[in-house]
Amino acid sequence: MTAIDSENIINVSTDASDHIFTIEKKTSLENSTVDYETAIKLCGYGRFHYGFTILCGIIFLFGGCQSSVNAYIIPAAECDLKLNSNQKGMLHIAFLLGGLSSSLLWGILANAYGRKTIIVSTLLLDSIFTFISTMSQSFQALIIFRAIAGVTIGAPGSLIYTYLGELTAPKQRVKSICFVGFCWTLASFVLPGLAWIIIPLRFSYYFNGYLFNSWRLYLGIIGIPLFICGFILMAYPESPKYLLSRGKKKEALMILQQIYAINTKQDKLNFPVLELKITSNEANNSTNITDENTIDDSSSCTIIQRLLKNAWKQIKTITSPPFRKYAILCWIVYFTNMYGWYGFGIWLPELFNRFENYYELHPNGTTASVCKLITVNNNQIINALSDCDHWTINSNVFMQTLAINAASATGIIICGCVSNRLKRNTIPVLASLIAGIAGYVIYTVNSSTQIIIVACIFCVMMASANIVITSVVIDIFPTHVNALAICLTSAAGRIGAIVSNLAFGLLVDNNCETLIFMIATIVIFGSLLCHLIPNDKPSKIFQQSID
């Protein structure tokens, strides 16, 4: 009788006051809990996500610039620093080794301190060291700074996907990630565009024994947007999914309420969720840790012990059934993808430059295959064309690179539009297969036009496969190991890129045929492995881990 009377009182009060209605509405949810995926859906998709996705895209855009800037500064700096083919390859490798060496570190720290904290810190550090690197006066100095850049940009390069994915509902997640991947491709427009404007400038300033010229200015400009983005990102919240995995339900709920308010223009108190449920996806033994990853102990030994203990727990999760087979699969597939991408993609400006220089030396219409072209002694070409002190990239190279990147951007847009309509492994399988075939075809081309067409196909397919593979990793692994899983997968890709660059530096001048066929074969092998990518929903995989 009392319960009935109480209910009647509430109903009467609702008619009298909207505010009391809200309380009554919330009371009906008071004893229920909602999982994170449901809660993030209820936040809607609006102004918050538009702004956050664009910011992530800009970060990824200039992170891509940092990752690929070697392709343009190396041909421009080869006379300044007296670089040979092996040294050019070592500069590429130094950057990749920096990223590889820090992959595990950033994954551990992101799971200990949060996604936002690590990304902001590394963005600011990367920009500072980039500015300093413009003063490099030798090959040795430049290679050290490029290795440091690899370390610092490795965090946002890997963790942006995790950060964005955790703040986006499943329905928009793949599209958002594809947009960010598209922004990485935009770096391929920004880099040659800026290079076209800046690198041909013929100026040299000497002060206190330091030379500052166009390619150094070009490198320094790349660091400015990253510095700005680091400060802007400070205004955004930590991933609520990460906070939930740490047992911080209230903090996670408050962030979701803010997102809801921004997206819907309603009061945050109207958010129809009162409590978040920690599922197997978010769980990280939160009942057994008193937020051990929020480290406030003054002892450095204690901090290191906790980080190593946490890292070991995460690695055990990733390398234990049912995740082990998916981890190994993702690592191998990403290795093959980055082996192919860096095998051809990062060296394309160099190849285009050699093509243009060859035709400038042979204006009578003589054609040359790729292998014939790259066996020509590059130093002889340089000496025949001009005084080495003023050597720069042929302007046609920028147009050719822009054409390839335009094709890649188009491919990623199409990939984003159709990704939700196809099985998860369809795009990686087809894209890698077509890219591998294009790799074989590169051996037969004998003009810059032909290599542009084939390179367009190759780069479009590799970029499309790369984006989908990354989204698969985000879906498969649970939140408390997600950042580390992404970083380990990126590490596997960087190993592939390092091996590819070693092979390119060693074989490009002496054994071109082996190089081309090796790259194409490895890419096709990756295509075959993509058949094994699971098409099950993540919830099924998580359920297997519980069972």
Side-chain angles (χ1 to χ4, degrees):
M1 183 67 181
T2 304
I4 296 174
D5 291 341
S6 299
E7 184 177 355
N8 291 335
I9 291 171
I10 292 174
N11 287 335
V12 172
S13 299
T14 6
D15 295 333
S17 171
D18 290 336
H19 178 68
I20 299 176
F21 172 78
T22 303
I23 295 175
E24 186 259 350
K25 179 180 178 183
K26 288 187 175 183
T27 306
S28 65
L29 295 172
E30 194 169 11
N31 296 322
S32 64
T33 57
V34 175
D35 63 81
Y36 181 79
E37 295 298 321
T38 302
I40 194 67
K41 288 179 185 177
L42 293 172
C43 288
Y45 193 83
R47 288 188 302 160
F48 173 85
H49 289 99
Y50 297 146
F52 182 65
T53 303
I54 290 172
L55 177 61
C56 289
I58 294 173
I59 292 172
F60 223 54
L61 163 61
F62 289 99
C65 288
Q66 182 68 280
S67 298
S68 302
V69 71
N70 279 3
Y72 298 93
I73 65 171
I74 288 176
E78 62 180 309
C79 284
D80 190 354
L81 303 180
K82 297 178 175 58
L83 304 177
N84 56 39
S85 291
N86 285 336
Q87 288 175 323
K88 293 175 185 177
M90 289 304 297
L91 281 170
H92 289 306
I93 292 169
F95 181 85
L96 295 167
L97 278 174
L100 174 63
S101 64
S102 63
S103 294
L104 183 62
L105 172 67
W106 297 136
I108 294 170
L109 293 179
N111 286 328
Y113 293 101
R115 284 67 163 125
K116 172 188 169 181
T117 302
I118 300 304
I119 294 174
V120 168
S121 301
T122 51
L123 284 174
L124 298 178
L125 285 173
D126 183 79
S127 59
I128 291 170
F129 280 111
T130 298
F131 298 147
I132 298 174
S133 70
T134 62
M135 305 305 295
S136 300
Q137 302 298 304
S138 66
F139 164 73
Q140 292 79 7
L142 184 60
I143 200 171
I144 290 172
F145 281 113
R146 293 312 296 159
I148 293 173
V151 171
T152 52
I153 204 64
S158 301
L159 297 175
I160 281 293
Y161 281 134
T162 301
Y163 192 24
L164 175 63
E166 290 179 356
L167 273 163
T168 309
K171 185 177 180 180
Q172 291 85 20
R173 188 169 296 151
V174 173
K175 289 184 179 180
S176 297
I177 291 172
C178 283
F179 170 79
V180 172
F182 171 74
C183 290
W184 183 278
T185 304
L186 287 181
S188 302
F189 291 94
V190 173
L191 281 174
L194 282 176
W196 196 357
I197 296 170
I198 297 172
I199 290 181
L201 299 176
R202 297 194 176 188
F203 67 86
S204 297
Y205 297 114
Y206 291 89
F207 52 97
N208 295 329
Y210 289 95
L211 168 65
F212 190 82
N213 52 15
S214 60
W215 71 263
R216 292 180 169 89
L217 173 62
Y218 175 68
L219 178 59
I221 288 176
I222 299 301
I224 296 174
L226 294 173
F227 192 80
I228 296 172
C229 287
F231 276 102
I232 295 175
L233 191 61
M234 291 180 183
Y236 281 85
E238 180 56 82
S239 162
K241 193 172 186 181
Y242 163 78
L243 294 174
L244 185 61
S245 73
R246 290 292 163 276
K248 297 182 177 182
K249 295 183 180 181
K250 291 183 179 179
E251 291 89 336
L253 183 59
M254 288 175 62
I255 292 174
L256 292 173
Q257 288 174 337
Q258 293 172 355
I259 295 173
Y260 170 82
I262 294 171
N263 284 342
T264 63
K265 299 182 181 180
Q266 297 186 39
D267 192 294
K268 64 181 182 180
L269 296 178
N270 291 334
F271 185 52
V273 175
L274 289 183
E275 186 177 356
L276 294 171
K277 176 173 61 177
I278 300 179
T279 64
S280 59
N281 184 18
E282 287 85 32
N284 185 22
N285 300 323
S286 58
T287 57
N288 298 323
I289 61 171
T290 56
D291 206 15
E292 70 174 29
N293 290 305
T294 305
I295 300 170
D296 55 5
D297 198 304
S298 59
S299 169
S300 59
C301 292
T302 303
I303 292 174
I304 294 172
Q305 289 174 355
R306 288 183 177 181
L307 287 176
L308 291 176
K309 181 180 178 181
N310 184 43
W312 178 243
K313 286 181 180 180
Q314 294 175 45
I315 292 172
K316 283 176 63 178
T317 300
I318 293 172
T319 57
S320 299
F323 301 111
R324 178 170 54 202
K325 60 183 179 181
Y326 299 122
I328 295 173
L329 174 64
C330 291
W331 294 342
I332 297 175
V333 168
Y334 211 65
F335 174 95
T336 63
N337 181 275
M338 297 301 285
Y339 186 98
W341 176 258
Y342 273 84
F344 284 134
I346 201 69
W347 283 85
L348 281 176
E350 173 76 10
L351 292 179
F352 288 150
N353 206 36
R354 292 193 182 194
F355 256 118
E356 295 303 323
N357 295 335
Y358 181 85
Y359 290 134
E360 193 165 336
L361 286 175
H362 301 84
N364 57 355
T366 303
T367 60
S369 65
V370 172
C371 287
K372 178 182 177 181
L373 173 73
I374 61 182
T375 55
V376 177
N377 188 291
N378 199 35
N379 290 328
Q380 291 179 350
I381 295 177
I382 294 172
N383 293 332
L385 284 173
S386 62
D387 180 4
C388 189
D389 290 337
H390 299 291
W391 176 250
T392 186
I393 306 176
N394 191 296
S395 59
N396 290 334
V397 172
F398 303 125
M399 290 297 295
Q400 294 161 349
T401 308
L402 285 170
I404 291 176
N405 297 330
S408 297
T410 303
I412 291 180
I413 292 173
I414 295 173
C415 174
C417 293
V418 304
S419 58
N420 288 332
R421 303 179 183 181
L422 300 173
K423 290 183 178 180
R424 186 182 293 169
N425 62 10
T426 300
I427 292 177
V429 168
L430 293 179
S432 299
L433 178 62
I434 295 171
I437 294 172
Y440 286 122
V441 174
I442 286 178
Y443 177 74
T444 67
V445 303
N446 57 15
S447 71
S448 57
T449 302
Q450 291 177 358
I451 195 174
I452 288 173
I453 294 172
V454 177
C456 279
I457 297 172
F458 181 86
C459 291
V460 167
M461 295 299 109
M462 294 304 291
S464 299
N466 182 284
I467 296 301
V468 177
I469 292 167
T470 304
S471 67
V472 167
V473 177
I474 293 173
D475 279 345
I476 287 178
F477 296 97
T479 306
H480 70 279
V481 299
N482 191 287
L484 183 60
I486 286 287
C487 288
L488 290 176
T489 303
S490 296
R494 287 170 183 143
I495 292 173
I498 289 169
V499 174
S500 180
N501 272 274
L502 279 172
F504 211 102
L506 293 173
L507 300 176
V508 66
D509 291 327
N510 303 311
N511 205 338
C512 167
E513 293 85 357
T514 301
L515 177 67
I516 290 177
F517 291 132
M518 182 169 58
I519 291 174
T521 300
I522 288 176
V523 171
I524 289 182
F525 174 67
S527 169
L528 299 177
L529 289 179
C530 287
H531 281 284
L532 302 177
I533 291 176
N535 286 312
D536 287 340
K537 293 182 179 180
S539 57
K540 292 186 178 180
I541 299 174
F542 297 141
Q543 188 60 43
Q544 292 176 32
S545 66
I546 298 173
D547 297 339

